[in-house]
Amino acid sequence: MTMLTAGFADPVLDAQACFRAVLEAMSRPGRIQRAGSALTPPAPLNQAAAAVLLALADADTPLWLDAGAEAEAWLRFHCGAPVAAAAGAAAFALATAAPPALAALDQGTEEEPQRGATLVLQVEALEEGEGWHLTGPGIEREHRLRVTGAPAGFVAAWAANRAGLPCGVDVILCAGDRLAALPRSVMIAEG
Amino acid sequence: MSTPDDRSAEGRGHLNRSRPNEGTMMEGYNFAYLDEATKRMIRRAILKAVAIPGHQIPFGAREMPLPYGWGTGGIQVTASILGPADTLKVIDQGSDDTTNAISIRRFFRRVAGVATTERTAEASVIQTRHRIPERTLREDQIMVYQVPQPEPLFKLEPRRAETKRLHALADYGLMHVRLYEDIARLGHIAKAYDYPVMVNGRYLMSPSPIPAFDNPKMHRMAALQLFGAGREKRIYAIPPYTEVRSLDFEDHPFRPIRAPHACAFCGSTDTYLDEVITDDAGGRMFVCSDTDFCTERQDAAASREAAE
């Protein structure tokens, strides 16, 4: 059996720093933050996705993932999150390859839209200042974000996700130790 | 910063890492008082609150070492976001030097070792009871509001299950009727504080009991705004640059109310004023509610005078 690599070196302050990065990303969609630069999670987990889950997932949040047995063991050990059999039952869904359809994840209800899932989506690269045009709450005029390796048809699926407001799914895009967030309220136009 | 090695040396985990003001920090408490599971729960609620602007999210508010009504909601939000690099400012009705503000600042100095300040410009996190600072806030600042009653419809519909449904349906007729009745009876909307707002065109939200004078500052504010209600166990948020509209009518547009005086200390005519009773013979004066802003203006005036 292989040894598990370590989680956060400082569980308290590293989790706080990662949370603030996600909070900043969620408040200003399309702005890139860094998280988890010191982590060595098992492949195919990248550092940012690992940090987000270490900071936010725990026994209260069913986790669905497609990352394989080693990553699952790592996350089970460090987060203690129960692994959900179906993506629709998860509070956090981690997609390292083609993600489940946004519509297949928990959307929340009209009365409790906060139950909508958070999709942690690993992509190849994130770049500010080019690519998608983002508008909506948190954005003064327009932010631009180039997402390399976004799933096919993502922008159309996002429009459908947004049509269900206030229900829907929030996405955290992770590439290496960089992350950007797409709260359900943001509008994406392809550029 | 310590290396992973010296952590395990004494088996005390994160407590070994050097932090600012470590000498004055209280022993035996987790960083920022709350345990990590509670912080994670609150952090998840905050993130969903930011994603759904203006929507109230229930959370498991903990008992805090201060009574309900003294900012238990705000203090839990602050504890969950605060890091060692933050500088915290706490105001109570605009003032930095009331019991509530001083105690909360001292609390976080002792349990988190963070730097505190009375200057709005120096703060990265500003916890507030019932005011928004006069100085324009920046992108790198976060406002945390203490909220006594997060439900704007509470006085019109006391059943939670019912207000939840009204929010789901975006059915805010009750509040329009409430404002209309003021106009019919008094000729104007007689709500001077806790004036309801629509956030991002979707949710009716209580801005907490800030004066209606402060409502326009929430509109497209550069800073993130977080709201915590401890007794009512709700968290909600307004992301930066989000539309916040005070509820009104075309023929009765919203008008922020302000005492028609100048500040007795700094002479400001565009800030929110407190009326201070000075004797028992009807003597009174009007002074800025935002003590930091007023002091800055007085200092600026004094240095201008000295220069002349």
Side-chain angles (χ1 to χ4, degrees):
Chain A
M1 199 187 136
T2 52
M3 283 279 285
L4 286 175
T5 55
F8 284 137
D10 185 325
V12 174
L13 295 190
D14 291 352
Q16 188 273 338
C18 176
F19 162 71
R20 280 290 281 274
V22 178
L23 179 63
E24 190 65 18
M26 203 54 98
S27 311
R28 303 173 200 280
R31 293 258 179 97
I32 293 172
Q33 305 292 326
R34 279 175 186 277
S37 313
L39 291 175
T40 49
L45 260 184
N46 68 29
Q47 291 172 322
V52 167
L53 291 172
L54 287 184
L56 296 172
D58 61 20
D60 293 336
T61 56
L63 169 70
W64 178 90
L65 72 172
D66 66 355
E70 207 181 338
E72 183 179 320
W74 193 83
L75 287 168
R76 270 184 195 270
F77 177 78
H78 288 299
C79 304
V83 171
F92 287 98
L94 166 69
T96 55
L102 293 179
L105 297 172
D106 194 348
Q107 307 287 305
T109 62
E110 290 283 343
E111 289 191 8
E112 296 183 336
Q114 69 273 12
R115 282 171 34 199
T118 305
L119 171 63
V120 180
L121 179 57
Q122 293 196 175
V123 294
E124 283 161 36
L126 294 168
E127 204 57 55
E128 269 182 36
E130 48 185 300
W132 292 347
H133 300 262
L134 307 183
T135 50
I139 300 171
E140 188 172 13
R141 288 185 196 83
E142 174 184 278
H143 286 172
R144 301 201 63 184
L145 181 70
R146 159 124 22 237
V147 182
T148 312
F154 183 82
V155 173
W158 186 258
N161 182 56
R162 207 180 166 279
L165 282 178
C167 298
V169 174
D170 307 306
V171 175
I172 302 175
L173 301 163
C174 299
D177 65 347
R178 292 150 69 83
L179 63 87
L182 301 172
R184 62 192 76 175
S185 55
V186 75
M187 267 172 287
I188 306 177
E190 258 166 312
Chain B
M1 303 268 276
S2 62
T3 61
D5 290 349
D6 60 45
R7 275 168 20 84
S8 50
E10 287 181 74
R12 288 176 59 211
H14 60 269
L15 291 176
N16 277 348
R17 185 132 154 194
S18 64
R19 293 189 173 124
N21 304 336
E22 195 144 33
T24 60
M25 273 176 71
M26 284 175 77
E27 286 282 326
Y29 286 93
N30 188 25
F31 178 79
Y33 188 78
L34 292 175
D35 62 274
E36 289 304 298
T38 301
K39 283 190 207 166
R40 271 194 302 275
M41 175 263 297
I42 295 175
R43 285 166 179 170
R44 290 193 296 261
I46 291 173
L47 290 175
K48 288 298 173 193
V50 171
I52 316 167
H55 172 65
Q56 301 164 49
I57 296 183
F59 78 110
R62 301 296 191 246
E63 257 190 65
M64 297 301 285
L66 77 170
Y68 286 141
W70 287 71
T72 52
I75 215 171
Q76 288 179 80
V77 170
T78 302
S80 304
I81 64 174
L82 214 56
D86 278 311
T87 304
L88 178 69
K89 171 184 165 88
V90 184
I91 51 173
D92 175 1
Q93 302 270 16
S95 167
D96 291 282
D97 52 9
T98 62
T99 310
N100 200 188
I102 292 172
S103 322
I104 293 175
R105 271 204 308 276
R106 191 178 58 182
F107 174 75
F108 280 114
R109 266 203 310 274
R110 288 166 69 178
V111 299
V114 295
T116 58
T117 182
E118 297 191 359
R119 292 182 178 272
T120 305
E122 290 172 2
S124 61
V125 176
I126 302 172
Q127 182 174 330
T128 175
R129 174 177 175 271
H130 310 181
R131 265 322 299 282
I132 300 175
E134 303 287 356
R135 175 187 274 275
T136 307
L137 297 173
R138 302 184 310 260
E139 286 199 355
D140 60 347
Q141 297 178 310
I142 300 178
M143 284 285 291
V144 178
Y145 296 76
Q146 302 172 195
V147 181
Q149 178 50 260
E151 179 49 70
L153 300 168
F154 174 71
K155 286 189 178 157
L156 307 167
E157 174 52 73
R159 290 168 297 181
R160 276 281 177 197
E162 193 62 25
T163 55
K164 243 171 106 170
R165 175 152 306 169
L166 292 175
H167 282 293
L169 298 168
D171 179 354
Y172 299 129
L174 274 175
M175 186 54 88
H176 280 106
V177 172
R178 150 84 177 74
L179 298 182
Y180 171 74
E181 280 178 349
D182 268 4
I183 294 171
R185 269 197 299 233
L186 308 162
H188 64 277
I189 297 171
K191 224 166 159 32
Y193 67 94
D194 205 356
Y195 192 108
V197 295
M198 285 297 288
V199 178
N200 198 28
R202 175 58 181 83
Y203 281 104
L204 184 72
M205 192 197 90
S206 158
S208 85
I210 59 170
F213 175 85
D214 281 343
N215 273 20
K217 295 178 191 162
M218 302 182 119
H219 179 62
R220 294 186 64 79
M221 184 191 276
L224 170 66
Q225 303 173 73
L226 304 174
F227 298 76
R231 185 186 50 221
E232 303 294 328
K233 301 176 173 50
R234 295 292 189 280
I235 284 174
Y236 52 102
I238 307 176
Y241 306 114
T242 299
E243 186 190 321
V244 179
R245 195 171 52 76
S246 302
L247 223 54
D248 62 358
F249 298 96
E250 275 175 25
D251 51 347
H252 282 271
F254 169 79
R255 268 199 308 269
I257 305 162
R258 179 182 178 277
H261 298 275
C263 171
F265 294 150
C266 75
S268 164
T269 54
D270 57 2
T271 52
Y272 191 72
L273 301 178
D274 284 339
E275 182 178 2
V276 182
I277 308 294
T278 50
D279 54 35
D280 57 1
R284 64 183 60 181
M285 63 197 285
F286 289 88
V287 297
C288 284
S289 140
D290 185 337
T291 49
D292 170 57
F293 189 79
C294 192
T295 311
E296 266 183 31
R297 274 180 57 93
Q298 292 176 60
D299 290 350
S303 58
R304 263 201 312 275
E305 239 168 64
E308 275 165 18

mmCIF file of all heavy atoms in Angstrom, chain A residues 135-158:
data_model
loop_
_atom_site.group_PDB
_atom_site.id
_atom_site.type_symbol
_atom_site.label_atom_id
_atom_site.label_comp_id
_atom_site.label_asym_id
_atom_site.label_seq_id
_atom_site.Cartn_x
_atom_site.Cartn_y
_atom_site.Cartn_z
ATOM 1 N N THR A 135 -20.051 38.548 -17.027
ATOM 2 C CA THR A 135 -20.736 39.700 -16.433
ATOM 3 C C THR A 135 -21.656 39.181 -15.342
ATOM 4 O O THR A 135 -22.021 38.009 -15.325
ATOM 5 C CB THR A 135 -21.577 40.474 -17.475
ATOM 6 O OG1 THR A 135 -22.390 39.535 -18.186
ATOM 7 C CG2 THR A 135 -20.710 41.244 -18.444
ATOM 8 N N GLY A 136 -22.036 40.083 -14.437
ATOM 9 C CA GLY A 136 -22.950 39.694 -13.365
ATOM 10 C C GLY A 136 -22.470 40.238 -12.034
ATOM 11 O O GLY A 136 -21.498 40.994 -11.971
ATOM 12 N N PRO A 137 -23.142 39.835 -10.939
ATOM 13 C CA PRO A 137 -22.738 40.310 -9.611
ATOM 14 C C PRO A 137 -21.268 39.996 -9.329
ATOM 15 O O PRO A 137 -20.794 38.915 -9.678
ATOM 16 C CB PRO A 137 -23.655 39.522 -8.670
ATOM 17 C CG PRO A 137 -24.836 39.157 -9.491
ATOM 18 C CD PRO A 137 -24.334 38.982 -10.886
ATOM 19 N N GLY A 138 -20.557 40.958 -8.733
ATOM 20 C CA GLY A 138 -19.151 40.758 -8.427
ATOM 21 C C GLY A 138 -18.238 41.315 -9.501
ATOM 22 O O GLY A 138 -17.027 41.353 -9.326
ATOM 23 N N ILE A 139 -18.808 41.721 -10.625
ATOM 24 C CA ILE A 139 -17.997 42.182 -11.749
ATOM 25 C C ILE A 139 -18.396 43.611 -12.081
ATOM 26 O O ILE A 139 -19.568 43.888 -12.330
ATOM 27 C CB ILE A 139 -18.212 41.262 -12.979
ATOM 28 C CG1 ILE A 139 -17.800 39.838 -12.617
ATOM 29 C CG2 ILE A 139 -17.438 41.785 -14.171
ATOM 30 C CD1 ILE A 139 -18.155 38.814 -13.658
ATOM 31 N N GLU A 140 -17.403 44.501 -12.068
ATOM 32 C CA GLU A 140 -17.724 45.918 -12.268
ATOM 33 C C GLU A 140 -18.283 46.150 -13.666
ATOM 34 O O GLU A 140 -19.356 46.700 -13.825
ATOM 35 C CB GLU A 140 -16.487 46.782 -12.014
ATOM 36 C CG GLU A 140 -16.822 48.262 -12.012
ATOM 37 C CD GLU A 140 -15.657 49.114 -11.572
ATOM 38 O OE1 GLU A 140 -14.524 48.582 -11.512
ATOM 39 O OE2 GLU A 140 -15.869 50.301 -11.290
ATOM 40 N N ARG A 141 -17.519 45.755 -14.675
ATOM 41 C CA ARG A 141 -18.020 45.860 -16.049
ATOM 42 C C ARG A 141 -18.020 44.487 -16.696
ATOM 43 O O ARG A 141 -19.048 43.925 -17.017
ATOM 44 C CB ARG A 141 -17.161 46.817 -16.859
ATOM 45 C CG ARG A 141 -17.367 48.266 -16.464
ATOM 46 C CD ARG A 141 -16.607 49.229 -17.361
ATOM 47 N NE ARG A 141 -16.537 50.530 -16.728
ATOM 48 C CZ ARG A 141 -15.625 50.858 -15.807
ATOM 49 N NH1 ARG A 141 -14.673 50.002 -15.474
ATOM 50 N NH2 ARG A 141 -15.642 52.041 -15.234
ATOM 51 N N GLU A 142 -16.801 43.967 -16.852
ATOM 52 C CA GLU A 142 -16.663 42.671 -17.510
ATOM 53 C C GLU A 142 -15.327 42.081 -17.077
ATOM 54 O O GLU A 142 -14.339 42.793 -16.980
ATOM 55 C CB GLU A 142 -16.685 42.884 -19.031
ATOM 56 C CG GLU A 142 -16.411 41.622 -19.818
ATOM 57 C CD GLU A 142 -16.344 41.904 -21.322
ATOM 58 O OE1 GLU A 142 -17.416 41.972 -21.926
ATOM 59 O OE2 GLU A 142 -15.232 42.023 -21.865
ATOM 60 N N HIS A 143 -15.319 40.813 -16.762
ATOM 61 C CA HIS A 143 -14.062 40.098 -16.559
ATOM 62 C C HIS A 143 -13.912 39.120 -17.710
ATOM 63 O O HIS A 143 -14.894 38.605 -18.217
ATOM 64 C CB HIS A 143 -14.069 39.316 -15.241
ATOM 65 C CG HIS A 143 -13.928 40.186 -14.027
ATOM 66 N ND1 HIS A 143 -14.064 39.694 -12.750
ATOM 67 C CD2 HIS A 143 -13.672 41.502 -13.895
ATOM 68 C CE1 HIS A 143 -13.884 40.681 -11.892
ATOM 69 N NE2 HIS A 143 -13.653 41.787 -12.557
ATOM 70 N N ARG A 144 -12.650 38.866 -18.074
ATOM 71 C CA ARG A 144 -12.438 37.879 -19.121
ATOM 72 C C ARG A 144 -11.627 36.726 -18.549
ATOM 73 O O ARG A 144 -10.733 36.922 -17.726
ATOM 74 C CB ARG A 144 -11.723 38.522 -20.317
ATOM 75 C CG ARG A 144 -12.543 39.684 -20.882
ATOM 76 C CD ARG A 144 -12.174 39.994 -22.287
ATOM 77 N NE ARG A 144 -12.460 38.882 -23.181
ATOM 78 C CZ ARG A 144 -12.143 38.899 -24.468
ATOM 79 N NH1 ARG A 144 -11.513 39.936 -24.994
ATOM 80 N NH2 ARG A 144 -12.429 37.870 -25.225
ATOM 81 N N LEU A 145 -11.982 35.542 -18.974
ATOM 82 C CA LEU A 145 -11.327 34.349 -18.462
ATOM 83 C C LEU A 145 -11.184 33.337 -19.579
ATOM 84 O O LEU A 145 -12.169 32.976 -20.227
ATOM 85 C CB LEU A 145 -12.164 33.760 -17.312
ATOM 86 C CG LEU A 145 -11.600 32.508 -16.636
ATOM 87 C CD1 LEU A 145 -10.360 32.852 -15.836
ATOM 88 C CD2 LEU A 145 -12.652 31.883 -15.724
ATOM 89 N N ARG A 146 -9.945 32.908 -19.824
ATOM 90 C CA ARG A 146 -9.729 31.830 -20.804
ATOM 91 C C ARG A 146 -9.589 30.530 -20.039
ATOM 92 O O ARG A 146 -8.747 30.410 -19.144
ATOM 93 C CB ARG A 146 -8.488 32.115 -21.640
ATOM 94 C CG ARG A 146 -7.918 30.890 -22.283
ATOM 95 C CD ARG A 146 -7.728 30.847 -23.794
ATOM 96 N NE ARG A 146 -7.635 32.077 -24.514
ATOM 97 C CZ ARG A 146 -8.464 32.386 -25.524
ATOM 98 N NH1 ARG A 146 -9.440 31.558 -25.859
ATOM 99 N NH2 ARG A 146 -8.312 33.522 -26.164
ATOM 100 N N VAL A 147 -10.468 29.585 -20.339
ATOM 101 C CA VAL A 147 -10.423 28.287 -19.688
ATOM 102 C C VAL A 147 -10.007 27.260 -20.722
ATOM 103 O O VAL A 147 -10.750 26.977 -21.654
ATOM 104 C CB VAL A 147 -11.804 27.911 -19.103
ATOM 105 C CG1 VAL A 147 -11.732 26.574 -18.379
ATOM 106 C CG2 VAL A 147 -12.300 29.004 -18.176
ATOM 107 N N THR A 148 -8.798 26.743 -20.582
ATOM 108 C CA THR A 148 -8.332 25.708 -21.507
ATOM 109 C C THR A 148 -8.745 24.356 -20.951
ATOM 110 O O THR A 148 -8.489 24.071 -19.775
ATOM 111 C CB THR A 148 -6.800 25.764 -21.654
ATOM 112 O OG1 THR A 148 -6.427 27.118 -21.877
ATOM 113 C CG2 THR A 148 -6.318 24.908 -22.798
ATOM 114 N N GLY A 149 -9.413 23.579 -21.775
ATOM 115 C CA GLY A 149 -9.831 22.258 -21.318
ATOM 116 C C GLY A 149 -11.191 22.253 -20.668
ATOM 117 O O GLY A 149 -11.514 21.346 -19.901
ATOM 118 N N ALA A 150 -12.004 23.288 -20.950
ATOM 119 C CA ALA A 150 -13.385 23.277 -20.444
ATOM 120 C C ALA A 150 -14.157 22.198 -21.192
ATOM 121 O O ALA A 150 -13.889 21.949 -22.374
ATOM 122 C CB ALA A 150 -14.034 24.635 -20.655
ATOM 123 N N PRO A 151 -15.099 21.539 -20.516
ATOM 124 C CA PRO A 151 -15.842 20.474 -21.188
ATOM 125 C C PRO A 151 -16.602 21.015 -22.409
ATOM 126 O O PRO A 151 -17.009 22.181 -22.416
ATOM 127 C CB PRO A 151 -16.831 19.992 -20.126
ATOM 128 C CG PRO A 151 -16.508 20.702 -18.876
ATOM 129 C CD PRO A 151 -15.514 21.755 -19.142
ATOM 130 N N ALA A 152 -16.781 20.169 -23.404
ATOM 131 C CA ALA A 152 -17.499 20.583 -24.612
ATOM 132 C C ALA A 152 -18.920 20.983 -24.238
ATOM 133 O O ALA A 152 -19.567 20.333 -23.416
ATOM 134 C CB ALA A 152 -17.520 19.430 -25.610
ATOM 135 N N GLY A 153 -19.370 22.088 -24.833
ATOM 136 C CA GLY A 153 -20.751 22.529 -24.599
ATOM 137 C C GLY A 153 -20.976 23.158 -23.241
ATOM 138 O O GLY A 153 -22.110 23.319 -22.794
ATOM 139 N N PHE A 154 -19.880 23.541 -22.561
ATOM 140 C CA PHE A 154 -20.030 24.060 -21.202
ATOM 141 C C PHE A 154 -20.805 25.378 -21.170
ATOM 142 O O PHE A 154 -21.656 25.589 -20.300
ATOM 143 C CB PHE A 154 -18.662 24.247 -20.548
ATOM 144 C CG PHE A 154 -18.746 24.711 -19.119
ATOM 145 C CD1 PHE A 154 -18.981 23.804 -18.090
ATOM 146 C CD2 PHE A 154 -18.650 26.061 -18.798
ATOM 147 C CE1 PHE A 154 -19.091 24.229 -16.776
ATOM 148 C CE2 PHE A 154 -18.752 26.504 -17.482
ATOM 149 C CZ PHE A 154 -18.975 25.583 -16.472
ATOM 150 N N VAL A 155 -20.523 26.253 -22.126
ATOM 151 C CA VAL A 155 -21.158 27.580 -22.101
ATOM 152 C C VAL A 155 -22.673 27.451 -22.289
ATOM 153 O O VAL A 155 -23.445 28.145 -21.615
ATOM 154 C CB VAL A 155 -20.525 28.503 -23.166
ATOM 155 C CG1 VAL A 155 -21.273 29.816 -23.266
ATOM 156 C CG2 VAL A 155 -19.064 28.772 -22.798
ATOM 157 N N ALA A 156 -23.087 26.557 -23.164
ATOM 158 C CA ALA A 156 -24.525 26.341 -23.360
ATOM 159 C C ALA A 156 -25.148 25.737 -22.105
ATOM 160 O O ALA A 156 -26.230 26.145 -21.666
ATOM 161 C CB ALA A 156 -24.762 25.433 -24.561
ATOM 162 N N ALA A 157 -24.440 24.775 -21.500
ATOM 163 C CA ALA A 157 -24.947 24.152 -20.278
ATOM 164 C C ALA A 157 -25.034 25.184 -19.153
ATOM 165 O O ALA A 157 -25.934 25.155 -18.317
ATOM 166 C CB ALA A 157 -24.046 22.992 -19.853
ATOM 167 N N TRP A 158 -24.078 26.136 -19.176
ATOM 168 C CA TRP A 158 -24.073 27.179 -18.144
ATOM 169 C C TRP A 158 -25.285 28.099 -18.304
ATOM 170 O O TRP A 158 -25.911 28.492 -17.316
ATOM 171 C CB TRP A 158 -22.777 27.989 -18.197
ATOM 172 C CG TRP A 158 -22.715 28.948 -17.070
ATOM 173 C CD1 TRP A 158 -22.973 30.285 -17.122
ATOM 174 C CD2 TRP A 158 -22.435 28.647 -15.695
ATOM 175 N NE1 TRP A 158 -22.864 30.833 -15.867
ATOM 176 C CE2 TRP A 158 -22.531 29.842 -14.973
ATOM 177 C CE3 TRP A 158 -22.115 27.462 -15.014
ATOM 178 C CZ2 TRP A 158 -22.317 29.908 -13.596
ATOM 179 C CZ3 TRP A 158 -21.903 27.526 -13.641
ATOM 180 C CH2 TRP A 158 -22.006 28.735 -12.951
#
